Amino acid sequence: MMHILRKLVLVIVFFLFLQTSAQERYPRLTEYVTDSAGVFTPTQLLELQKKLQIFEEETTNQIVVLTITELGYETIETYANGAFNQNGLGQADKDNGILLLFSKNDREVRIEVGYGLEDKITDAIASRIIRNTIIPLFKEEQYLQGLDTALDELILYLKDPVALARTNKEIEEKKRKNEKIGRYFLLVFSMVFLGVGGFFFYQVYRNLIAIFRRVFTGKRSVLVALFLVPITF
């Protein structure tokens, strides 16, 4: 009996260990900035911590930065989502957290936004910050400047509705412009395609008429005609 109980206890302990390991799959984010990749100096780290602390005290919104060396077998999207959910960023009743994740070796960045802030920091806004602000500076290995400027933009959009509305308007105008260019390109492509197709169809039609005319006028034999028709097509 004791032997069976001992085995049962060992099994329970093993499953608890697996559950705990799964729950701690990602780093514990106990600070505003967790620099696992060693991107920042101690002074830079302190300045970023202070900036994000002041922002949360003023707005209750929470922005957390995480740098890692590499993603391993995960995508940047799944890693950011997993780290965000595991650490429960933001206030539970508001879900107003944001995670800015940077994988150094993979050179990938992700802005993961809680549901409570998705109406402000939309996918379009997040993509714009990454594309226009972070990536150009990261290409020059200016990691602090890239992340710091991105944080300034996030803070601005969350605190200033006018700036957010202006940027959304710019995004919408650019989207409409790109759609218009796309329609023009499709129209030109269709015209070229129809023109080239019409020309070849005309050539095939003319060659077929010439072949059949020669057959029926006795200038070419039927066997020659049957040989030329497939070649023409």
Side-chain angles (χ1 to χ4, degrees), residues 7 24-25 30 32 44 71 89-90 96-97 106 109 116 118 127 130 136 143 162-164 176 179 192 201 211 219-220:
K7 284 187 175 181
E24 298 298 328
R25 182 176 179 178
T30 57
Y32 289 102
Q44 294 169 346
L71 293 165
L89 300 184
N96 57 343
D106 301 292
V109 189
E118 283 186 341
S127 297
I130 294 173
Y143 302 122
V162 176
L164 179 62
R176 286 198 296 266
E179 288 176 349
V192 171
F201 177 80
I211 290 171
K219 293 183 179 180
R220 292 287 186 274

Side-chain angles (χ1 to χ4, degrees), residues 64-233:
V64 173
V65 177
L66 170 61
T67 71
I68 60 175
T69 305
E70 60 183 3
L71 293 165
Y73 295 103
E74 290 193 78
T75 64
I76 189 76
E77 293 81 9
T78 57
Y79 195 103
N81 184 262
F84 185 100
N85 292 328
Q86 176 184 292
N87 289 277
L89 300 184
Q91 297 180 348
D93 57 333
K94 295 182 178 180
D95 199 5
N96 57 343
I98 293 178
L99 173 63
L100 179 51
L101 171 65
F102 170 47
S103 178
K104 186 176 180 181
N105 290 351
D106 301 292
R107 294 185 176 274
E108 291 194 58
V109 189
R110 171 77 177 177
I111 298 177
E112 191 72 19
V113 184
Y115 291 116
L117 296 177
E118 283 186 341
D119 60 326
K120 296 180 180 178
I121 308 301
T122 60
D123 289 340
I125 290 286
S127 297
R128 178 188 172 99
I129 293 174
I130 294 173
R131 184 177 59 253
N132 296 350
T133 300
I134 298 178
I135 291 179
L137 290 169
F138 276 15
K139 286 181 178 179
E140 301 175 4
E141 296 188 355
Q142 298 182 25
Y143 302 122
L144 173 66
Q145 291 83 349
L147 293 175
D148 193 33
T149 307
L151 290 173
D152 287 339
E153 291 187 27
L154 288 170
I155 291 172
L156 175 64
Y157 294 144
L158 291 172
K159 294 178 67 174
D160 189 349
V162 176
L164 179 62
R166 183 169 59 248
T167 300
N168 278 325
K169 183 179 179 182
E170 292 174 359
I171 292 173
E172 189 62 31
E173 289 176 350
K174 185 175 182 180
K175 180 181 177 181
R176 286 198 296 266
K177 182 179 179 180
N178 290 338
E179 288 176 349
K180 187 181 294 185
I181 293 173
R183 287 196 295 269
Y184 285 146
F185 176 80
L186 181 61
L187 178 62
V188 172
F189 176 80
S190 300
M191 292 175 65
V192 171
F193 179 79
L194 290 174
V196 173
F199 173 77
F200 280 106
F201 177 80
Y202 171 74
Q203 292 295 328
V204 171
Y205 173 76
R206 190 175 66 173
N207 290 338
L208 284 175
I209 294 298
I211 290 171
F212 283 111
R213 183 182 293 118
R214 289 168 184 171
V215 170
F216 288 110
T217 57
K219 293 183 179 180
R220 292 287 186 274
S221 67
V222 176
L223 290 176
V224 173
L226 293 175
F227 175 74
L228 290 177
V229 169
I231 294 178
T232 304
F233 277 105

Side-chain angles (χ1 to χ4, degrees), residues 33-50:
V33 183
T34 301
D35 186 23
S36 300
V39 174
F40 310 118
T41 65
T43 302
Q44 294 169 346
L45 194 62
L46 186 62
E47 291 175 354
L48 290 176
Q49 300 271 22
K50 186 175 181 181

